[in-house]
Amino acid sequence: MNGQDSLTGLYDWQTAREKITDLLDGEKVESGLLFYMDLDDFQEVNDSYGYAAGDELLKAVGERLLQMTHGQGVAARIGGDEFLLFLGNVSSQKEAYNQAMQLYGACMGASEESLVSMSMGIACYPEDGSVYEELAARADEALYASKHAGKQCFLFYEDLSRL
């Protein structure tokens, strides 16, 4: 295994986990955001436009995620239509929100053929966890809540206490 998803060229889940763990353990970042993302109703894209169009959409989302890393983050396809992105050294809640909005907008515009939406869950380092496993569990919990809230939105883990 080469550590990359063969379709998108992004890291696979295992490699992403190792790279993020290295960043956190090596204290190479003081703060950060872990995004878990899922394309809403992706099967409809495959059913309406064909699997080739679905693959192109996944590639386009992958390209947008790579652009968001600016060569310093970690982007991965973790399965089917699920992705993760880690951005380090996000210094304020306002910057975190701006990054989430930018990512959401970039991925929403990834397909010209169809209107695709996504749901995102976001965990903040170190507030929501000091190791990858904690951050991933909390980002996943926030993703699940955003799906349950009607999809097409993003939630920070800290928002869950207000729902």
Side-chain angles (χ1 to χ4, degrees), residues 80-91:
D81 61 342
E82 296 178 354
F83 298 86
L84 75 71
L85 177 68
F86 181 79
L87 299 175
N89 297 320
V90 178
S91 59

Side-chain angles (χ1 to χ4, degrees), residues 111-128:
S111 173
E112 294 177 12
E113 297 87 24
S114 64
L115 284 176
V116 64
S117 67
M118 72 174 358
S119 299
M120 293 192 310
I122 308 159
C124 300
Y125 169 78
E127 296 87 348
D128 298 329

Side-chain angles (χ1 to χ4, degrees), residues 48-131:
S48 298
Y49 300 98
Y51 287 99
D55 286 352
E56 289 304 311
L57 174 58
L58 294 173
K59 289 179 195 175
V61 169
E63 288 172 14
R64 303 291 170 101
L65 293 178
L66 280 176
Q67 290 170 0
M68 290 289 299
T69 68
H70 305 290
Q72 299 177 347
V74 177
R77 180 174 175 214
I78 55 177
D81 61 342
E82 296 178 354
F83 298 86
L84 75 71
L85 177 68
F86 181 79
L87 299 175
N89 297 320
V90 178
S91 59
S92 70
Q93 191 168 21
K94 181 179 179 182
E95 185 180 354
Y97 182 79
N98 289 340
Q99 289 286 352
M101 287 296 294
Q102 183 179 356
L103 176 59
Y104 189 77
C107 290
M108 289 284 289
S111 173
E112 294 177 12
E113 297 87 24
S114 64
L115 284 176
V116 64
S117 67
M118 72 174 358
S119 299
M120 293 192 310
I122 308 159
C124 300
Y125 169 78
E127 296 87 348
D128 298 329
S130 60
V131 296

Side-chain angles (χ1 to χ4, degrees), residues 14 91 136 145 147:
Q14 183 67 29
S91 59
K147 287 281 205 188

Side-chain angles (χ1 to χ4, degrees), residues 2 12 39-40 48 101 110 125 153 158:
N2 65 6
D12 61 25
L39 298 177
D40 297 325
S48 298
M101 287 296 294
Y125 169 78
C153 67
E158 70 178 27

